[in-house]
Amino acid sequence: MKCFYASCIAMLHGIDILETPVAVVANFNQPGSVVLAALPLMKEKYKIKTGSRRYEIPKHPDIQLFEPKMSFFIQMSMTITKLIANYVPVDAIHVYSVDESFVDLTGTEKLWGSPEQAAREIQAAILDQYNVPSAVGLGPNMLMAKLAFDYQN
């Protein structure tokens, strides 16, 4: 998922992910606290990204900062995994982290078309239902898929 924590917070608060600069910061009480996620506008306009520090965030009235809601993030991750299970068997989903999974699309061609088409369909469903953007790396195995993802993003 792209900007997973920030996208989940935006969904929870009804914030437009393309129009609002949002960052999720680990701890408001510590200036050196790390930014866990930032929406695209935060990255583009203010140069704040995952790994930036809270003290680097400019004081601007448009910027919205949130602390993490880990139980909500985990719940959303499980909900998205259940959505993916509408496209493939559960044992074809390999959860790697809260915001990343590997999905084996082998044998789904008759239902969803090529792996590229299936991936686009899943991405569209996640975006439509939860307003959480995602990125995909395709490959013949998990290593190649991860390398393709990292190269592309």
Side-chain angles (χ1 to χ4, degrees), residues 2 123 134-138 145-153:
K2 287 184 175 180
Q123 283 182 285
S134 60
V136 172
L138 294 171
K146 180 67 173 158
L147 290 172
F149 172 81
D150 289 345
Y151 179 74
Q152 179 183 357
N153 297 299

Side-chain angles (χ1 to χ4, degrees), residues 30-44:
Q30 300 198 5
S33 187
V34 70
V35 172
L36 299 173
L39 288 180
L41 189 59
M42 192 72 165
K43 296 174 185 177
E44 294 162 11

Side-chain angles (χ1 to χ4, degrees), residues 49-90:
K49 60 187 185 329
T50 301
S52 295
R53 300 296 176 168
R54 187 176 67 79
Y55 64 79
E56 296 176 291
I57 299 171
K59 295 188 184 330
H60 192 281
D62 292 342
I63 295 175
Q64 296 187 38
L65 302 179
F66 296 90
E67 288 187 294
K69 298 180 182 297
M70 287 311 294
S71 61
F72 178 67
F73 299 151
I74 291 168
Q75 175 189 0
M76 281 300 302
S77 177
M78 292 186 322
T79 300
I80 290 170
T81 300
K82 287 179 185 174
L83 182 147
I84 295 169
N86 292 327
Y87 295 87
V88 298
V90 173

